[in-house]
Amino acid sequence: QVQLVQSGAEVKEPGSSVKVSCKSSGSIFSNYAITWVRQAPGQGLEWMGGIIPLFGTAIYAEKFQDRVTITADESTRTAYMELSRLKFEDTAFYYCARAGREYQLLSWSDPWGQGTLVAVSS
Amino acid sequence: DIVMTQSPDSLAVSLGERATINCKSSQSVLYSSDNKNYLAWYQQKPGQPPKLLIYWASTRESGVPDRFSGSGSGTDFTLTISSLQAEDVAVYHCHQYYSTPGTFGGGTKVEIK
């Protein structure tokens, strides 16, 4: 059974960067996309982008294109999401999730990581 | 981007009664080459990540109780809880994975009346 375990909560100042990790266990890592979705407090889910580790090229939502970098390390079965030039409105839970279909970025997501709270505060 | 609109924003249903949640996409998510609707439903309880319930609009994920069902095609979809249980109190999200960026509905909060 696949499990995704994310890094811990972060408090960051505006203008800085944050890097969240997502470690996978239990099944094939490289063939399944890892996507990143964020959820501001009391709000809906927002797709940020994703990567298929085997292919190594990330796809981003246009809204985050110039600020987010998603990478994956096959040797450690870990995916990363780095968000730069943080703003107060980036305060949110950030989730990683595995695609349900092999070799496809466009897929339902299952399972999800436990979420990482990133708080942007001065 | 495909816009997903859920209704209602919240609903209160008596235990054992039916709950119906609607999701409408701004363009069709039915892929003609495989005749599949690229639509999923998730359940999210407070303090937890979303949990997959339904994919391909109507395929129930393994282990999900059969009181949960998905229906619809093209642009209009429905998640039905046939007999609401106390443990079903949650927010429900629809999600299209037809095109990037994958987009989600705003969520529907289900409570006990």
Side-chain angles (χ1 to χ4, degrees):
Chain A
Q1 186 172 345
V2 177
Q3 265 196 311
L4 301 179
V5 178
Q6 299 182 221
S7 49
E10 304 261 13
V11 179
K12 294 290 184 179
E13 291 191 346
S16 66
S17 298
V18 68
K19 191 170 186 177
V20 181
S21 68
C22 170
K23 186 171 178 63
S24 174
S25 64
S27 186
I28 299 170
F29 174 72
S30 297
N31 300 352
Y32 291 84
I34 296 291
T35 59
W36 289 87
V37 175
R38 78 176 186 180
Q39 185 173 37
Q43 302 300 308
L45 300 167
E46 188 173 29
W47 191 90
M48 300 179 69
I51 188 170
I52 301 173
L54 181 66
F55 303 147
T57 302
I59 303 293
Y60 305 113
E62 189 172 343
K63 173 178 179 175
F64 302 102
Q65 181 77 37
D66 62 341
R67 293 201 297 137
V68 69
T69 303
I70 294 172
T71 57
D73 183 336
E74 292 182 82
S75 67
T76 60
R77 304 167 60 96
T78 303
Y80 300 90
M81 186 284 300
E82 183 171 24
L83 188 62
S84 63
R85 303 196 301 279
L86 288 168
K87 313 168 189 178
F88 292 118
E89 52 265 39
D90 291 321
T91 294
F93 279 94
Y94 289 77
Y95 295 101
C96 63
R98 198 191 81 153
R101 299 196 293 162
E102 230 173 345
Y103 311 118
Q104 299 291 332
L105 184 64
L106 287 170
S107 172
W108 61 90
S109 294
D110 179 65
W112 295 58
Q114 83 274 20
T116 297
L117 176 62
V118 175
V120 183
S121 173
S122 55
Chain B
D1 298 2
I2 297 177
V3 177
M4 307 299 289
T5 304
Q6 283 184 237
S7 61
D9 291 337
S10 64
L11 74 161
V13 176
S14 301
L15 288 172
E17 295 301 304
R18 178 184 301 259
T20 302
I21 300 167
N22 300 300
C23 176
K24 188 174 183 68
S25 57
S26 61
Q27 65 188 74
S28 176
V29 298
L30 174 62
Y31 195 33
S32 56
S33 67
D34 60 12
N35 201 36
K36 290 183 175 181
N37 288 284
Y38 284 50
L39 189 285
W41 289 96
Y42 304 88
Q43 176 192 65
Q44 186 177 25
K45 296 182 178 180
Q48 296 184 18
K51 172 192 170 187
L52 177 69
L53 296 176
I54 303 278
Y55 55 97
W56 297 136
S58 61
T59 301
R60 197 180 304 115
E61 169 71 342
S62 175
V64 173
D66 61 7
R67 64 180 179 272
F68 291 93
S69 63
S71 63
S73 184
T75 61
D76 292 278
F77 300 91
T78 300
L79 175 71
T80 301
I81 310 172
S82 60
S83 175
L84 191 75
Q85 304 300 302
E87 61 264 33
D88 301 335
V89 169
V91 176
Y92 293 84
H93 307 271
C94 61
H95 166 216
Q96 68 80 16
Y97 48 96
Y98 180 89
S99 65
T100 54
T103 45
F104 296 84
T108 296
K109 187 174 185 178
V110 174
E111 299 173 307
I112 305 295
K113 186 186 289 183

